[in-house]
């Protein structure tokens, strides 16, 4: 079952049926103007963002279709170094179903991957760095070790300084990417990176899949790290459902 609950669009089609990729792309289209940072995460009913260190056990086929659609709409996917290591990140691929839409939007064949890392403790021999369709970006601080910066650049990555110390300032990271024409931003975490974006007040939208499972244990939440002095309010923009999975979309008020 696939159902759209028309939160903001009273004319939306609520028929239970298969949603096409074009419909999903229309539903998740980025705003026409400005820079927009969207997060895509998954959580169990009891708040776990991972099971045994990975998010895949909480996912579903529809979740992966939305995952692919969100990537296809983005200029750049921003991800933390730990998530790259844990999830075995590979380069984003070109998808024929979205080729025309990306060309019309002035985008390349696939989004760039931007890895956020203070230490640059990354395996630069992985396909993410050696064989992407578009060069992988590495966001780090001004105090990053010169030998690691050199290793990243030798592998073909573009290193972007977005912080005065060893780490990355979230607002500067967003601005640095926008300055390169990458204004449709998607972050897939992990929880620590998402927490930094939330604490800095630069997250515009959260696409959260709520999986109908309970995991218990001590898994991370979808966002960790420093807390905000005052919780930031988001508004529900859309809601999809399939087989008990809820695919929510919240926008900052």
């Amino acid at each position: 079952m696939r159902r759209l609950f028309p939160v903001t669009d009273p004319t939306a089609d609520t028929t239970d049926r298969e949603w096409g990729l074009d419909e999903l792309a229309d539903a998740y289209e980025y705003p026409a103007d400005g820079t927009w940072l969207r997060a895509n995460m998954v959580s169990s009913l009891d708040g776990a963002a991972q099971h045994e260190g990975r998010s895949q056990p909480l996912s579903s086929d529809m979740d992966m279709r939305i995952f692919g659609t969100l990537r296809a709409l983005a200029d750049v996917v921003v991800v933390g170094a730990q998530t790259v290591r844990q999830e075995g990140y590979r380069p984003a691929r070109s998808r024929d179903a979205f080729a025309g839409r990306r060309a019309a939007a002035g985008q390349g064949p696939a989004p760039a991957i931007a890895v956020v890392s203070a230490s640059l403790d990354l395996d630069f021999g992985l396909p993410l760095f050696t064989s992407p369709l578009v060069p992988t970006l590495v966001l780090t601080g001004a105090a990053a070790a010169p030998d690691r910066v050199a290793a990243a650049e030798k592998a073909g990555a573009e290193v972007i300084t977005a912080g005065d110390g060893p780490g990355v300032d979230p607002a500067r990271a967003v601005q640095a990417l926008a300055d390169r024409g990458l204004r449709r931003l998607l972050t897939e975490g992990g929880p620590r990176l998402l927490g930094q974006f939330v604490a800095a007040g630069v997250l515009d939208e959260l696409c959260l899949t709520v999986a109908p499972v309970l995991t218990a244990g001590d898994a991370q939440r979808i966002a960790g790290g420093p807390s905000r002095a005052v919780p930031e309010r988001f508004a529900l923009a859309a809601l999809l459902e399939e087989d008990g999975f809820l695919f929510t979309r919240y926008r900052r008020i």
Side-chain angles (χ1 to χ4, degrees):
M1 178 182 296
R2 293 164 177 83
R3 180 180 302 149
L4 170 69
F5 295 85
V7 177
T8 58
D9 182 4
T11 67
D13 182 0
T14 63
T15 307
D16 294 343
R17 58 182 173 76
E18 181 81 26
W19 272 51
L21 291 177
D22 281 339
E23 288 178 293
L24 284 175
D26 288 342
Y28 285 95
E29 191 170 16
Y30 278 84
D33 301 311
T35 301
W36 192 263
L37 175 60
R38 162 187 288 164
N40 183 34
M41 301 293 284
V42 62
S43 171
S44 68
L45 291 175
D46 51 344
Q50 303 162 341
H51 182 64
E52 297 182 345
R54 301 181 65 240
S55 60
Q56 191 278 331
L58 304 179
S59 187
S60 69
D61 289 345
M62 183 63 166
D63 182 52
M64 294 309 298
R65 291 186 75 208
I66 292 175
F67 172 91
T69 299
L70 295 183
R71 278 197 163 197
L73 295 174
D75 295 329
V76 60
V77 178
V78 188
V79 62
Q82 183 65 11
T83 297
V84 167
R85 291 187 285 262
Q86 286 183 334
E87 302 282 353
Y89 257 62
R90 300 183 63 83
R93 60 188 179 91
S94 175
R95 299 184 62 186
D96 292 342
F98 297 101
R101 185 182 289 264
R102 289 190 65 86
Q107 297 172 302
I113 304 293
V115 183
V116 177
S117 177
S119 68
L120 301 186
D121 180 17
L122 299 161
D123 182 353
F124 294 116
L126 293 175
L128 178 62
F129 299 101
T130 61
S131 57
L133 281 176
V134 292
T136 294
L137 310 174
V138 176
L139 295 160
T140 192
D147 63 320
R148 297 307 296 164
V149 172
E153 293 176 336
K154 183 178 180 180
E158 178 184 355
V159 178
I160 301 172
T161 300
D164 294 328
V168 170
D169 175 84
R172 284 182 60 179
V174 170
Q175 187 60 54
L177 294 170
D179 289 345
R180 285 162 172 77
L182 307 174
R183 67 170 191 83
R184 305 174 189 90
L185 283 69
L186 170 67
T187 181
E188 297 168 352
R192 183 172 178 271
L193 179 62
L194 179 56
Q196 291 172 341
F197 283 134
V198 171
V202 296
L203 184 70
D204 298 298
E205 179 180 323
L206 173 63
C207 297
L208 176 64
T209 296
V210 181
V213 298
L214 295 168
T215 68
D218 57 358
Q220 290 178 292
R221 298 160 48 197
I222 66 166
S227 63
R228 291 182 57 91
V230 178
E232 187 172 16
R233 182 69 183 271
F234 279 60
L236 181 63
L239 178 62
L240 290 163
E241 182 272 342
E242 181 192 48
D243 295 336
F245 284 82
L246 300 179
F247 307 97
T248 72
R249 186 179 181 190
Y250 287 89
R251 289 189 171 191
R252 183 168 54 186
I253 296 175

